[in-house]
Amino acid sequence: MPTQYPDILFQQKINKEIKIEPKDWMPEAYRKTNIRQISQHAHSEIVGMLPEGNWISRAPTLKRKAILIAKVQDEAGHGLYLYSAAETLGITRDEMIDDLHCGKAKYSSIFNYPSLTWADMGAIGWLVDGAAILNQVALCRTSYGPYARALVRICKEESFHQRQGFETLLVLSQGTVDQKAMCQDAINRWWWPSLMMFGPKDSESTNNDMGIKWKIKRKTNDELRQNFVDMAAEQVKVLGMSLPDPALQWNEANKKYDFGELNWDEFWKVVKGNGPCNKQRLAARVKAHEDGAWVREAAVAYQRKRKAAVRSSFGEAKEAV
Ligand code: FAQ
């Protein structure tokens, strides 16, 4: 492998859809932007456990509780696959966690909104997981091998999450007047923040061009947002509910839905740490990490003991020979 692998050959490999693997040469900016995106994605999965974790003890039935526990556990698993994928690029788990806890690393804006009613569990599943999966299905073809492979499994689980969310809302939408109202209220509150998950408009996105060129991102923020609107605008009809956007309208010429402008001031406020729950979410993560210190210490002590036991039994075996 030449020490100065030309950028042009790297780009050719990307163009031919050959996956980039951990030991392959890569431009420093490619490595850094993958670390940024994968670690932020991992943080989103971990912080994303909080709004739903909030409802585990208040789920209306044992079945709903079991489903919610399984879903929240899945999100933890996604975070772990993604941290492992990012580690292959030369950053440690501790460094990533420190970056999250000191506010340097971002996580998805969506998880800074409160989950106020049981219907929010349905809206998160349908809209938040729905937005996540649209993005992640495209990312299964991302150019960095470990990230792409992690996403294949994540997508299988996310599609179950989305369907359980939709089914939760479907039951409410066929319930009492109060349940219908709760369903509509949850959709109203989660709709616009879900559209913000796709990031700023392409014209404002700092990472789009490089992401697309290196096939880290397979679709732009605006393309994915449009795909999501087109999907949700049809699915909401099955619920007999509406989306809170007076500008939402089918455009026959474009074969797409037109939709209203997002509140970008709100988006940037949340991204910069000043959303409704940013401080609460970060404080919960820091506390969980500190409370879990004894588990990490015990795991290290156990590993040390096991290694010592293997060494001594190896020594005994040699003596016997
Ligand atoms: N929130 O230049 P771009 C889930 C930042 S997983 C916060 O367009 P990029 C599962 C961006 O980082 C959800 N920050 O950025 C689940 C950048 O700042 P930086 C997470 C945002 O990377 C469901 C700056 O703005 N999914 O939900 C946001 O090209 C239910 C400029 O933006 C992923 O992470 C935002 N919404 O495109 C769990 C998927 N948007 O880093 C529990 C992978 C943008 O330069 C329950 N990531 N920013 O300082 C991606 O696809 C991309 O990173 C985008 C953003 C599309 C999110």
Side-chain angles (χ1 to χ4, degrees):
M1 183 71 59
T3 46
Q4 283 289 310
Y5 196 92
D7 283 356
I8 201 156
L9 291 182
F10 179 79
Q11 189 62 49
Q12 279 170 2
K13 217 167 150 183
I14 298 274
N15 295 349
K16 284 189 201 154
E17 302 285 340
I18 298 171
K19 293 277 179 255
I20 307 302
E21 297 298 339
K23 290 186 178 160
D24 293 350
W25 185 91
M26 61 186 85
E28 190 53 18
Y30 178 87
R31 194 180 70 83
K32 283 204 172 128
T33 201
N34 264 296
I35 290 180
R36 180 189 65 79
Q37 180 167 321
I38 303 170
S39 63
Q40 291 183 3
H41 191 167
H43 298 326
S44 304
E45 300 280 357
I46 297 295
V47 179
M49 295 162 73
L50 295 169
E52 288 171 294
N54 184 33
W55 278 89
I56 289 174
S57 61
R58 290 177 284 161
T61 64
L62 181 61
K63 185 179 132 199
R64 294 287 179 199
K65 189 195 280 263
I67 294 170
L68 194 57
I69 290 173
K71 179 182 189 290
V72 172
Q73 277 181 340
D74 283 353
E75 309 300 357
H78 299 172
L80 299 185
Y81 314 149
L82 291 166
Y83 283 130
S84 300
E87 280 178 311
T88 64
L89 288 155
I91 185 167
T92 66
R93 178 94 49 110
D94 285 345
E95 285 169 319
M96 289 185 268
I97 303 282
D98 283 349
D99 286 350
L100 172 69
H101 291 177
C102 74
K104 188 174 149 203
K106 295 185 170 76
Y107 59 88
S108 183
S109 50
I110 191 75
F111 302 116
N112 294 304
Y113 290 85
S115 50
L116 302 178
T117 69
W118 170 251
D120 288 16
M121 297 305 96
I124 291 175
W126 176 42
L127 295 174
V128 178
D129 284 279
I133 197 174
L134 245 173
N135 188 4
Q136 290 167 177
V137 164
L139 285 174
C140 287
R141 294 187 300 115
T142 191
S143 56
Y144 188 56
Y147 190 25
R149 290 188 287 274
L151 280 158
V152 172
R153 178 153 177 191
I154 291 175
C155 281
K156 286 190 179 143
E157 292 173 353
E158 295 287 22
S159 81
F160 150 73
H161 296 172
Q162 189 192 15
R163 271 177 271 168
Q164 70 78 33
F166 190 79
E167 195 266 345
T168 300
L169 290 185
L170 192 61
V171 170
L172 291 173
S173 73
Q174 293 165 354
T176 63
V177 172
D178 284 350
Q179 285 170 329
K180 285 181 184 165
M182 185 165 70
C183 179
Q184 183 62 62
D185 167 65
I187 295 171
N188 292 349
R189 283 182 291 105
W190 289 93
W191 174 246
W192 292 106
S194 299
L195 292 191
M196 292 175 190
M197 288 175 71
F198 297 101
K201 281 196 266 201
D202 289 353
S203 54
E204 307 287 317
S205 164
T206 41
N207 302 294
N208 240 351
D209 292 348
M210 190 171 59
I212 295 286
K213 175 179 155 214
W214 280 333
K215 299 189 195 274
I216 296 169
K217 289 168 87 167
R218 302 304 304 235
K219 288 190 177 186
T220 72
N221 301 358
D222 286 339
E223 282 169 341
L224 286 166
R225 192 167 12 247
Q226 181 70 55
N227 292 162
F228 179 69
V229 171
D230 293 342
M231 181 190 78
E234 289 301 313
Q235 290 179 344
V236 76
K237 293 179 190 167
V238 181
L239 294 174
M241 299 280 142
S242 60
L243 295 174
D245 179 359
L248 186 76
Q249 199 178 358
W250 176 249
N251 183 324
E252 185 53 34
N254 295 340
K255 300 273 183 248
K256 288 173 187 165
Y257 275 90
D258 293 333
F259 58 99
E261 192 64 22
L262 280 69
N263 182 343
W264 294 111
D265 289 343
E266 176 182 320
F267 170 75
W268 288 115
K269 204 170 127 193
V270 179
V271 169
K272 288 180 182 158
N274 300 311
C277 300
N278 291 61
K279 294 189 177 53
Q280 187 186 327
R281 298 289 187 239
L282 219 49
R285 284 310 317 154
V286 171
K287 182 174 184 310
H289 192 70
E290 284 168 0
D291 289 351
W294 71 271
V295 180
R296 293 189 295 279
E297 280 161 23
V300 170
Y302 176 69
Q303 192 195 28
R304 211 177 289 131
K305 268 189 175 176
R306 271 192 64 193
K307 274 190 182 159
V310 169
R311 264 199 307 270
S312 77
S313 66
F314 183 66
E316 280 160 19
K318 258 172 80 178
E319 270 169 33
V321 172

